[in-house]
Amino acid sequence: MSTDKNIAPIKLELLFVIAHNKKQAYISSLIQSLQSNLQFTVPCKGTTHLILNYLGLIDRPKTLIMSVIREDQAAEIMAVLQETFHKGGDYKGVAFTVPFSSMIGTLAYGFLSNEKQVKQQ
């Protein structure tokens, strides 16, 4: 009979960041340095691009960065992003999190949560 038992899971969240294309790599590496193991980047446009077109102004391209982060590190990551956004210029952006409610498999969970040990012996 095995005496292994699962460690209580750390909840995960999805972090969404909208940033300028020029700073996408910087912000992505910043999030990765705070222990996010999975990120997706997607080009996006805001709702203001229609108004800017009417005025003859050029819309600045944006990128949506989606990252899986641990709930216990969300406040720290949001604080670092807020500090970065306050630099102004191309560093401006929007960030928010939503709960990651479904996860199947301890190995996948261990990778996403950056948990080195998913079973306790």
Side-chain angles (χ1 to χ4, degrees):
M1 180 173 246
S2 176
T3 60
D4 292 352
K5 62 179 182 177
N6 291 336
I7 294 175
I10 299 167
K11 292 183 180 181
L12 299 175
E13 293 189 355
L14 289 174
L15 171 68
F16 293 87
V17 180
I18 301 170
H20 292 287
N21 274 359
K22 290 181 179 180
K23 297 302 176 187
Q24 175 263 324
Y26 172 78
I27 292 175
S28 183
S29 66
L30 182 67
I31 295 167
Q32 185 177 1
S33 72
L34 296 168
Q35 299 186 16
S36 172
N37 285 340
L38 180 66
Q39 294 185 26
F40 296 103
T41 58
V42 181
C44 64
K45 287 186 176 183
T47 56
T48 61
H49 76 280
L50 294 173
I51 297 169
L52 292 175
N53 285 341
Y54 291 136
L55 297 173
L57 301 172
I58 299 172
D59 187 22
R60 300 183 68 199
K62 309 263 187 311
T63 300
L64 172 64
I65 305 166
M66 297 171 280
S67 306
V68 178
I69 62 171
R70 292 167 49 148
E71 182 184 51
D72 60 343
Q73 295 177 328
E76 177 188 356
I77 292 171
M78 292 300 281
V80 169
L81 288 172
Q82 184 177 11
E83 185 178 309
T84 302
F85 295 158
H86 277 88
K87 291 180 183 179
D90 288 339
Y91 289 97
K92 290 182 181 177
V94 176
F96 60 93
T97 63
V98 294
F100 191 117
S101 60
S102 294
M103 184 72 233
I104 298 175
T106 56
L107 291 178
Y109 169 80
F111 172 74
L112 292 176
S113 65
N114 203 26
E115 187 65 33
K116 306 293 187 237
Q117 178 182 358
V118 292
K119 290 222 180 248
Q120 182 178 0
Q121 296 187 10

